[in-house]
Amino acid sequence: MYQVDASFDVEKARAETPGVNHVIHLNNAGAGLMPQTVVHAMKSHLELESEVGAYEAAERVQATIDGVYDAIAGLLNCNPQEVAIFESASRAWAMAVSSIALNPGDRVLVSSMEYGSNYINLLHMCRRMGVSVEVLPVDSDGVIDYLGIENYLDERVRLIALPHVPMHDGLVNPLVEIGRIARKNGILFLVDACQSVGQLTVDVHEANCDLLVGAGRKFLRGPRGTGFLYARQEVAEKLTPFVLGLDGAEWLSGSYRMAPGARRFENWEANCVSRIGLGRAVEYALEWGIERISNRVQSLAEGLRKDLSGIRNIRVEDRGRDRSGNIAVSIDHFDEMWVRDNLIRAGINTWVCLENSACLDMENRGISSLLRISPHYYNSAEELGRLCDVLDVMLAGKGSIPAVFSV
């Protein structure tokens, strides 16, 4: 039984999500199904570009494009001038880190749950710049042991970087407590919120973070190729992007001045269709209410974890005291990729997290792959029950899924 808010209008959510008529989508941690309103906004602008020209179309809808910054600012509780938009969260993260003035011997503290791409970039920075990247310990629940962080601090620690929610685990790291320690000690605090924006409340002021990145395609249900950066105003003014574009600087006849706030990180050329889709996706999430979304997602996920735990050969690997909608399971005697492929044939989308995507943590735990299941508020209890039925048949050793399970 799933303990969910009976007042939540899941039928409305499903009616506004065309994809639910074609697939049971439980890969929202990868990319959520876009609601019709986002698809319509993007199609409308693409058609306008084809009719009047791309630059001219952008000029006509400049107020809408400006509104994307307002929407993201409303989502994060910040000023629109503290927001920059990118073609991916990975690009936003790399731009933020590379803008920090680090010197040989400086220390960067990270989480063992760091996303693989981010961690490789940090190692690359070690090799190029001579900084030290050190992994913070976790407590018995798998979350960063914030009570012991101050024991790791000295005047050489310049940055603490961590994910709010890892991509391969349901745990939620204690941002507020870690941010408070970082701010008290004058250390920059960078948060990867790609897996949390859209399913959990993310308040940059409450978290005391200086920099935060998010992705549009996941729980925000926006298009691929969209990401954003929050840079606290007084911090942004001290950061120097390693490249500048026309929107990132003002020409001063023989010299230049970097744009104020986060806009110094942006390029002039951008995909307006995707930006408009991102803005509409954020507005749509805010219309539903992030707290209501969070309550439903977490309720569905907790119920599903219990049901999955009762299926033969499945082990739920999630940790943490507080948990998100990301569910990670390992499967005894079966290859996770084989399981995912058979679920797809049954009309159910999930994902497989490989070791390189969370290299530190998965290597430390001796896990080479995990099946990730990530429901969203538009998923129904019946869909989650169907997933469990399919897995139960599949993992009983009966081979491929019978046709009766086809969607």
Side-chain angles (χ1 to χ4, degrees), residues 64-362:
T64 299
I65 294 172
D66 292 341
V68 180
Y69 296 90
D70 296 329
I72 296 171
L75 178 73
L76 302 178
N77 186 28
C78 67
N79 189 295
Q81 289 297 318
E82 296 176 308
V83 174
I85 300 174
F86 292 86
E87 65 271 24
S88 73
S90 291
R91 178 69 170 168
W93 190 94
M95 284 289 285
V97 169
S98 63
S99 71
I100 301 169
L102 296 172
N103 298 303
D106 285 345
R107 300 170 60 208
V108 176
L109 304 183
V110 302
S111 159
S112 61
M113 282 79 74
E114 193 64 69
Y115 178 50
S117 176
N118 294 349
Y119 188 62
I120 288 172
N121 268 294
L122 289 169
L123 292 181
H124 189 50
M125 189 168 65
C126 282
R127 184 177 297 176
R128 289 187 300 110
M129 304 174 64
V131 301
S132 170
V133 176
E134 303 167 30
V135 180
L136 290 166
V138 298
D139 63 19
S140 58
D141 292 304
V143 301
I144 294 174
D145 184 11
Y146 67 90
L147 295 175
I149 283 183
E150 297 206 56
N151 295 329
Y152 286 77
L153 304 184
D154 62 23
E155 68 282 355
R156 294 180 298 131
V157 175
R158 299 292 310 286
L159 174 68
I160 297 174
L162 59 88
H164 189 188
V165 173
M167 61 86 66
H168 69 295
D169 196 307
L171 68 83
V172 180
N173 273 314
L175 290 192
V176 174
E177 292 82 359
I178 296 171
R180 189 178 298 125
I181 293 168
R183 183 69 57 84
K184 183 180 73 172
N185 288 277
I187 299 167
L188 289 176
F189 183 33
L190 166 61
V191 175
D192 177 350
C194 289
Q195 293 291 348
S196 56
V197 288
Q199 70 153 321
L200 298 175
T201 298
V202 178
D203 185 320
V204 294
H205 288 292
E206 182 181 358
N208 286 303
C209 61
D210 301 294
L211 300 160
L212 178 143
V213 299
R217 73 181 188 275
K218 299 176 184 291
F219 288 92
L220 282 172
R221 305 179 61 194
R224 292 189 69 175
T226 55
F228 52 86
L229 167 69
Y230 157 78
R232 187 161 63 91
Q233 186 72 33
E234 62 183 89
V235 170
E237 300 294 339
K238 300 174 184 176
L239 300 179
T240 303
F242 72 94
V243 293
L244 288 171
L246 286 180
D247 272 6
E250 177 187 1
W251 174 247
L252 298 176
S253 185
S255 185
Y256 67 91
R257 177 171 56 224
M258 285 188 288
R263 303 299 171 86
R264 65 183 56 196
F265 293 101
E266 290 193 348
N267 293 317
W268 184 78
E269 184 57 40
N271 186 330
C272 292
V273 173
S274 293
R275 288 194 174 195
I276 288 170
L278 171 63
R280 185 65 198 111
V282 173
E283 291 169 352
Y284 186 72
L286 293 173
E287 289 164 10
W288 278 98
I290 300 300
E291 185 174 352
R292 293 192 71 210
I293 289 173
S294 178
N295 289 338
R296 178 168 175 83
V297 170
Q298 289 178 292
S299 295
L300 288 175
E302 283 305 310
L304 183 54
R305 284 187 180 98
K306 292 177 183 177
D307 289 347
L308 289 168
S309 297
I311 298 175
R312 180 180 178 181
N313 292 321
I314 284 185
R315 284 178 288 121
V316 177
E317 300 282 2
D318 292 324
R319 300 164 298 172
R321 293 178 291 277
D322 300 316
R323 293 189 289 191
S324 69
N326 295 6
I327 304 169
V329 303
S330 57
I331 304 171
D332 295 332
H333 313 302
F334 291 86
D335 177 72
E336 282 82 7
M337 194 64 75
W338 180 89
V339 172
R340 176 188 176 247
D341 289 345
N342 277 277
L343 287 173
I344 288 176
R345 294 187 186 100
I348 303 172
N349 290 344
T350 58
W351 192 250
V352 174
C353 299
L354 299 176
E355 187 178 29
N356 65 347
S357 59
C359 41
L360 277 177
D361 186 59
M362 290 179 69

